[in-house]
Amino acid sequence: MTRARWVIGNWKQNLLRGPAEALARGLVGGLPDPLIDSDDKVKVGIAPGYMALDVVRPWCRPAGPLFLFAQDVGAQESGAFTGEVGPGMLIDAGVRGAIVGHSERRALFGESDAVVSRKLRCALDAGLRVVLCVGEPLEVRAAGDHEAHVLGQLAAALANLPEDSLNHRVIIAYEPVWAIGTGNTATPDDAAAMHGRIRSWLREHFGAAGSDRSILYGGSVKASNAAELIAAGDIDGFLVGGASLEQAAFLSIIQSVAGP
Ligand code: PGA
């Protein structure tokens, strides 16, 4: 099976509703024709802030070609959880998937592996896609413990899933923390090495399903480095922060993944 290729823009806490709608519209206008509605080349997702979900929805499936993601999701379906947005609410708003375990959620908002695991399970049970983010901080890489760290995060998030849950709705994103928003991208070799390790862990634990899951790279992906990263092998696309806010840069990254 050919793995799905994805480029997903994480807009973080940026863009009011007007600019968000304009960016989504511009992206759809700029997508090369063969990519529109094609599942085989590259799937394009956007993850705007919650308040802009409704204004970009007309450009997202089923009305348009983009896949609509949320940047986070609650760890429980509903109840007395002030401030939380549950998976059912997201689906009701037209959202198709959610990012879970982003390093900013882990580092700045205290999300533990246990919370990440609950969010992932809750989102999958509700029928959302999930982009599960894993990645090591700089000091962990400096100490040479990056593989153990990342595989530990994977195990904590996925180990308790029933075996048949690792289906096409699970997407993994390797995002070294030291590369996020810093301009320091992992070298293609470093990224490919970690992707290869994640791939073998997935195969070990989930058999054939582990071979079919998309593993995205994230961390200062730009128009200028996307082509060499995608050529490194075992990289099935990108989770893009800063460059996803610039229409031309994001379109160029999509083109690099789609190939000629
Ligand atoms: P960046 O962010 O592309 O701005 O480094 C990536 C991410 O946080 O997903």
Side-chain angles (χ1 to χ4, degrees):
M1 159 176 183
T2 331
R3 288 194 291 271
R5 294 189 143 201
W6 285 92
V7 179
I8 301 173
N10 173 8
W11 294 355
K12 307 196 180 182
Q13 193 184 327
N14 295 297
L15 301 183
L16 299 180
R17 290 156 56 81
E21 193 276 334
L23 180 54
R25 179 166 15 104
L27 289 174
V28 172
L31 278 181
D33 266 356
L35 290 189
I36 303 227
D37 270 336
S38 105
D39 276 348
D40 46 338
K41 279 257 180 187
V42 55
K43 296 183 199 300
V44 180
I46 54 170
Y50 287 130
M51 303 308 291
L53 288 172
D54 66 328
V55 295
V56 304
R57 187 174 161 172
W59 306 104
C60 299
R61 295 182 180 223
L66 306 177
F67 286 82
L68 186 54
F69 285 80
Q71 297 171 18
D72 190 21
V73 59
Q76 47 285 312
E77 181 51 49
S78 63
F81 303 102
T82 302
E84 288 292 86
V85 177
M89 293 169 170
L90 293 177
I91 290 168
D92 188 41
V95 173
R96 295 291 185 97
I99 298 171
V100 167
H102 190 280
S103 66
E104 284 151 18
R105 302 287 330 157
R106 294 179 192 257
L108 306 175
F109 300 96
E111 279 190 17
S112 63
D113 278 338
V115 169
V116 171
S117 158
R118 283 209 303 279
K119 287 186 169 186
L120 180 113
R121 186 70 189 266
C122 185
L124 287 178
D125 285 351
L128 285 172
R129 284 189 161 84
V130 172
V131 181
L132 169 65
C133 300
V134 293
E136 79 287 354
L138 186 56
E139 62 276 14
V140 171
R141 179 159 281 261
D145 295 334
H146 43 289
E147 287 192 5
H149 183 92
V150 165
L151 299 185
Q153 287 178 324
L154 273 183
L158 297 176
N160 296 326
L161 279 187
E163 223 168 275
D164 59 353
S165 307
L166 199 79
N167 57 31
H168 72 281
R169 287 192 284 115
V170 180
I171 300 163
I172 311 290
Y174 169 57
E175 300 203 301
V177 178
W178 46 271
I180 294 179
T182 59
N184 300 322
T185 320
T187 64
D189 285 351
D190 283 345
M194 183 64 88
H195 281 230
R197 215 39 214 96
I198 293 172
R199 174 74 58 214
S200 39
W201 187 93
L202 289 174
R203 280 202 192 107
E204 243 166 72
H205 290 81
F206 293 94
S211 301
D212 293 342
R213 300 293 64 86
S214 306
I215 307 176
L216 316 186
Y217 170 80
S220 298
V221 175
K222 305 178 265 249
S224 56
N225 59 22
E228 62 169 6
L229 282 162
I230 204 76
D234 238 329
I235 296 178
D236 302 311
F238 301 118
L239 181 57
V240 187
S244 72
L245 297 170
E246 296 160 36
Q247 182 181 314
F250 194 59
L251 285 169
S252 157
I253 292 167
I254 293 166
Q255 190 65 65
S256 300
V257 174

